Amino acid sequence: MTGVQTCALPIYFCFHQCALFALSLLVLIAGGVTPLAAQEYPQREIRSICNFAAGSGADILVRYYSDKLSRLAGKPVIVENKPGALGNIATEFVAKAAPDGYTINIGPLSSTLASAPHIFKKVSFDPLKDFIAVASIAKLSFVLAVDAKGPVHNVAQLVEYLKKKPGDGMYGAGNNSGLIGGELFKDRTGLKTTYVPYKTSQQAVNDVIGGQLDFFVYDATFTVGQAKAGLVRIIAATSGQRSPALGNVPTLIESGLAGIDITPWWGVAVPAGVPRPIVEKLAGWFNQISAMEETKTFLSRVATDPFPGTPEATAALLRADYERWGQYVKLAKIEPQ
């Protein structure tokens, strides 16, 4: 009897240890990645999802950061443009992607995540629950632009020009930041100008030049190039302070429209559930990119400023902007679409 009891202890101990090992293994599998896999990330190409069309200001930034990420990660980073619904199509795609770190979203998160639920009656994602904020990377102003060959050179002239048109004319925008900026402009000036949504920024330029559109509100990244080409004239910036990259362009506040400070920020997000080691690895790489002198020069050239941040700081900023941009939507009297 004693011999049987002595022998049973090691067997029970072995079974107990095996059970613990099996349970730990299941937890790791359920988490989507083993510590070794996280350490070796990435093992294949990464998909970089862009919310807007190829050739847009957003596309310019996404392709720059994706190229630099590819060099640091040692794997291809393939940009996929999924424009539409003011950026929602791409956002929804990322929200539903596998949480393995191989699908990332580089974009204007203050627009595509923070403001989207306030502008649309129904979205299929929760900006605070369905994503993990990886890093902030840049911030920029949006601008009001008109036909370079037209008579309008400032905001006061634009207001007078629009008042002479049936229904106070029309303006275009292609994302949430542009829409909010345009509607706040209308609210402050008492205009009823009709909003026209655009899928591509280039089409908005074509319509301004062709006279179908009176002005548009787009990111400075795209519009500065159009202004340098002599196609449009930038008359005001939506940011609270002037951007050195925009030269002498005044803000809307300086132009007499108090309380308008639209300064969207760019960041990186991944689907909820991506393991923390991968998030930290991506954050480290993007902050390396932000610290490069080449990046600072590039951002200055496209009227954008570096704005690096940790996952924690970016998540906090997203939560704060979710509330702030909700107030902007109310101030602009935007009816959810």
Side-chain angles (χ1 to χ4, degrees):
M1 182 67 68
T2 305
V4 172
Q5 289 177 334
T6 304
C7 183
L9 288 173
I11 293 174
Y12 171 78
F13 180 76
C14 179
F15 175 79
H16 181 67
Q17 292 299 99
C18 288
L20 286 176
F21 175 77
L23 180 61
S24 300
L25 184 60
L26 285 173
V27 170
L28 288 172
I29 292 172
V33 68
T34 65
L36 181 61
Q39 185 178 355
E40 294 178 350
Y41 170 85
Q43 299 180 22
R44 53 184 171 85
E45 70 180 31
I46 297 170
R47 303 169 75 187
S48 176
I49 308 302
C50 178
N51 299 75
F52 303 100
S56 63
D59 184 64
I60 293 170
L61 286 172
V62 171
R63 291 185 185 276
Y64 176 86
Y65 280 93
S66 296
D67 176 66
K68 293 295 178 286
L69 176 62
S70 175
R71 298 184 190 189
L72 290 174
K75 296 292 181 182
V77 178
I78 310 301
V79 175
E80 295 184 19
N81 298 84
K82 295 185 180 295
L86 298 181
N88 280 357
I89 291 177
T91 305
E92 291 173 355
F93 179 85
V94 175
K96 296 175 182 177
D100 54 12
Y102 289 96
T103 301
I104 66 173
N105 180 210
I106 305 172
L109 302 189
S110 57
S111 169
T112 56
L113 290 186
S115 66
H118 303 291
I119 290 178
F120 291 88
K121 291 180 180 178
K122 185 178 180 181
V123 293
S124 64
F125 59 85
D126 185 314
L128 304 180
K129 294 180 180 178
D130 293 338
F131 299 88
I132 295 176
V134 174
S136 58
I137 55 177
K139 59 181 179 179
L140 70 157
S141 175
F142 269 55
V143 295
L144 274 68
V146 298
D147 180 10
K149 296 180 176 61
V152 174
H153 288 78
N154 55 52
V155 169
Q157 289 178 356
L158 176 61
V159 173
E160 290 303 312
Y161 177 77
L162 291 172
K163 285 181 177 179
K164 296 175 183 177
K165 303 201 70 173
D168 297 338
M170 295 189 292
Y171 86 93
N175 53 44
N176 298 337
S177 297
L179 171 60
I180 292 172
E183 292 302 304
L184 283 174
F185 168 78
K186 287 168 53 180
D187 179 69
R188 294 295 187 273
T189 56
L191 293 167
K192 298 179 180 180
T193 310
T194 301
Y195 159 61
V196 182
Y198 280 84
K199 193 170 183 179
T200 70
S201 46
Q202 191 57 56
Q203 186 57 52
V205 172
N206 295 341
D207 285 354
V208 162
I209 295 172
Q212 292 90 352
L213 204 62
D214 296 298
F215 73 98
F216 64 70
V217 188
Y218 263 96
D219 56 275
T221 304
F222 168 77
T223 313
V224 163
Q226 303 300 307
K228 288 180 179 178
L231 300 176
V232 301
R233 177 183 299 125
I234 297 174
I235 62 170
T238 64
S239 55
Q241 297 180 334
R242 287 195 184 196
S243 168
L246 291 175
N248 294 321
V249 174
T251 66
L252 285 172
I253 294 174
E254 289 177 306
S255 302
L257 307 184
I260 300 180
D261 180 4
I262 307 296
T263 311
W265 56 271
W266 274 66
V268 184
V270 293
V274 171
R276 183 68 186 186
I278 290 179
V279 172
E280 291 178 348
K281 207 169 203 181
L282 284 168
W285 283 330
F286 276 103
N287 280 313
Q288 277 185 255
I289 297 170
S290 293
M292 294 176 181
E293 287 302 320
E294 179 184 354
T295 298
K296 295 173 184 177
T297 300
F298 162 75
L299 291 177
S300 175
R301 193 167 63 246
V302 294
T304 307
D305 300 313
F307 187 48
T310 64
E312 293 79 12
T314 307
L317 181 60
L318 182 59
R319 288 192 298 270
D321 265 16
Y322 178 77
E323 299 298 330
R324 187 168 69 95
W325 286 70
Q327 292 302 313
Y328 279 154
V329 170
K330 290 178 182 178
L331 286 172
K333 299 180 178 66
I334 297 174
E335 290 295 328
Q337 302 177 31

